[in-house]
DNA sequence: ATCGGGCGCTAATCCGATTTAGCAATGGAG
DNA sequence: CTCCATTGCTAAATCGGATTAGCGCCCGAT
């Protein structure tokens, strides 16, 4: 079919040198191994003319390194959120001449096993194990044998694996501060989780951490949260139900919704009760889901830094690969990536009359 | 670091046979090459015990096939829409023991070139060239040298490349029929494109094809579209503006929005004018964006079959790889994937009094 | 006894690079 | 004039499989 690829042997022959010499020159080790300027130039020029490109498969066989990393997620590739994570990883990898194998496990341990095997059969240089939701995962033992990074996840059992996660606690603080900065001190309700750390969707690490941050920031400001409703899952319908429920008995001035889909439901409930955002009720949320900017009014939210998470995971993985190569010890550091606040139009200054007592 | 992998040589030695024999047995060609039952069983058992897995890199070097395909898109990996496309491709590939390299070009020809090179350096068996929006693309010449498929795109210049696309014309017909079936014959407006085929976002193939289908179905039913507004881009704000503009001068009974984001804007405009969906105005749309089911009322829309597109592209690619192997001729067939209607709650039966004339 | 042929398995080569070990030529020192 | 070092390059092994060519052995036929 296609004209055969130009190989190192072709270059060597055309330049009138041995394969060894050609290889030496092209790998940049010609200088230290005393190849003459003359020959070096000749090889370089020939390679250029012939448009020689080294075959990475072959190199991989010899050196064991394929300039490839495996990106395994539970179901990450499918969600918009996670698409950015992949994009970040893709770009960071590309900067170093690496490619990404993508794989989805759908939470199936058997599939995960197969996938990891398939990647190891292809001699990937490292692995990124990503999770759709921030949570703890069981680390397959196959992973511990090679450079790997957890993305958006923590190991269930302590393992010497580095992890990259969004800084949810700080995000919680930031959400709270958005309201505090706008002068809100009363009638602040939480929708999605709380008041206790146990009131949240199961397995949701983010819920706990956000709640911790929120309580911390309010605590430091001497502000008490008026109330909270947990949701079994963070979907619009639960946000709608919880907010409706709240509105039957209370008159909130501000809501912190635990994610944008919850907020979407809250918007609807408020609308049903004839309440305006942000004139009557301010709302701040988390995630910066694409819909956040389409909602009316556009939603102020603390963004999940998917793109940055992906990039960071690759950076950490490269450090890990280096460590592996140089025989360093595994550490298992946890890296937190900042979650930026996206100020939009769902928060208004508090006009509440401060209660006398 | 990790304990060395078990190789074919290990299996052969442990089973007391030559590498050749072991290879023959394990590749299933033992029978035809007269390896005895006894030896065959011994090799198989040994391989099992040692947990032998062939090194695909090595095999790739010898056979030239890496059981890997490259998925190159302009920016597809990043959008939720496209995530499903990748997911479909991933699963279809997995069914055959193939892995996917993912790459994004961001519309940059230079990057695309680099990416294709990187993939060829890794000896991918085939390529999928995907586009985020349905459109025509310039096919890099590197692609024509190997099995490849266009996904969600058509070649700008005629090329013997198969393409996989959503069946947009039929989708247009289906959208129209949803309204016709509900009894709508009057006050039907188009938001996003039309009335002429030229009134549409540039480069949007989907717009043209949907419009063709819509006109065809209405034409066949003897129904005339009351009006149409084109949008420079299919975003909520333009949908909002176009619909507002429409409402100032007309009283539509039904809208066909050219995608869900346009529909989202239309919902807002109708809400502003105190009109209810679907009681006052029925709406049908395209894409089945995730928000479509979260809108209130949930939006009836003709879905882009991303997952199926991804699967289909892989299927077609495998056919292409086979063709390449067996020396068949390239054809360049266009495959259309059906767009299913998602009936939700934004369309109500027409209660309009039929005009006498 | 010899030969042809099927059977059952293996030696050797190849894929395209990297890497180790080492060879030939040159020049300077002794 | 010999010996050793250095310079500049190459032969050969290696990675882990797939594949081609072919080697012994045993059997029946001549």
């Amino acid at each position: 079919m296609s004209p055969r690829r130009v190989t190192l042997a072709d270059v060597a022959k055309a330049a009138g040198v041995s394969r060894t010499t050609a290889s030496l020159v092209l790998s940049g080790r010609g200088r230290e191994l005393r190849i003459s300027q003359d020959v070096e130039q000749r090889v370089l020029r020939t390679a250029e003319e012939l448009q020689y490109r080294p075959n990475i498969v072959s190199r991989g066989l010899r050196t064991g390194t394929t300039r490839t990393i495996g990106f395994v997620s539970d179901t990450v590739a499918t969600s918009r959120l996670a698409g950015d994570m992949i994009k970040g990883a893709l770009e960071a990898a590309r900067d170093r001449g690496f490619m990404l194998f993508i794989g989805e496990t759908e939470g199936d341990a058997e599939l995960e096993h197969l996938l990891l095997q398939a990647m190891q059969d292809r001699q990937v240089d490292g692995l990124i194990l990503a999770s759709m939701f921030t949570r703890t995962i069981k680390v397959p033992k196959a992973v511990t044998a090679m450079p790997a990074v957890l993305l958006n996840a923590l190991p269930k059992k302590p393992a010497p694996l580095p992890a990259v996660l969004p800084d949810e606690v700080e995000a919680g603080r930031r959400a709270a501060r958005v309201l505090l900065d706008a002068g809100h001190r009363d009638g602040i309700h939480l929708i999605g989780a709380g008041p206790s750390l146990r009131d949240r969707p199961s397995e949701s690490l983010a819920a706990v951490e956000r709640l911790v941050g929120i309580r911390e920031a309010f605590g430091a400001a001497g502000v008490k949260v008026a109330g909270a409703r947990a949701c079994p899952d963070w979907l619009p319908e639960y946000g709608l139900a919880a907010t409706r429920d709240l509105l039957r008995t209370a008159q909130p001035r501000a809501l912190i919704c635990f994610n944008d889909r919850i907020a979407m439901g809250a918007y609807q409930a408020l609308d049903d009760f004839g309440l305006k955002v942000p004139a009557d009720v301010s709302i701040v949320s988390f995630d910066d889901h694409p819909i956040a900017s389409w909602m009316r009014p556009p939603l102020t939210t603390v963004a999940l830094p998917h793109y940055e998470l992906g990039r960071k995971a690759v950076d950490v993985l490269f450090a890990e690969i280096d460590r592996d190569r140089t025989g360093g010890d595994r550490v298992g550091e946890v890296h937190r990536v900042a979650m930026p606040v996206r100020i939009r139009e769902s928060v208004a200054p508090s006009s509440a009359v401060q209660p006398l007592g």
Side-chain angles (χ1 to χ4, degrees), chain A residues 152-212:
Chain A
N152 214 8
L154 285 172
K156 198 157 265 171
K157 296 172 191 165
L161 273 184
V164 175
L165 296 152
D167 191 348
E168 304 275 11
V169 175
E170 174 62 15
R173 289 188 209 111
R174 290 181 181 184
R177 276 194 223 114
V178 165
L179 295 182
L180 290 170
D181 290 350
H184 291 276
R185 302 185 62 84
D186 301 283
I188 300 175
H189 291 255
L190 274 30
I191 308 285
S196 140
L197 289 181
R198 272 170 291 101
D199 307 320
R200 55 171 172 93
S202 60
E203 292 224 64
S204 174
L205 250 184
V208 177
E209 299 184 337
R210 287 173 187 181
L211 200 48
V212 166

Side-chain angles (χ1 to χ4, degrees), chain A residues 9 33 43-44 75 84 125 164 193 195 224 237-238 241 298 325:
Chain A
L33 278 162
V43 170
L44 254 21
T75 176
D84 277 339
D125 296 324
V164 175
K224 259 193 119 63
E237 54 261 40
Y238 294 115
R325 215 160 31 72

Side-chain angles (χ1 to χ4, degrees), chain A residues 260 263 267 283 285 292-293 295 297-301 342 344-346:
Chain A
D260 297 336
Y267 267 49
I283 297 194
S285 168
S293 60
M295 286 164 62
L299 181 63
T300 290
T301 185
R342 306 258 189 262
R344 288 198 268 256
E345 299 164 31
S346 63

Side-chain angles (χ1 to χ4, degrees), chain A residues 60-88:
Chain A
L61 179 59
R62 180 67 231 254
T63 65
T65 170
T66 52
R67 304 188 76 72
T68 298
I69 74 190
F71 189 108
V72 179
S73 63
D74 43 9
T75 176
V76 111
T78 232
S79 85
R80 157 65 215 260
L81 310 167
D84 277 339
M85 216 148 84
I86 291 188
K87 187 180 174 115

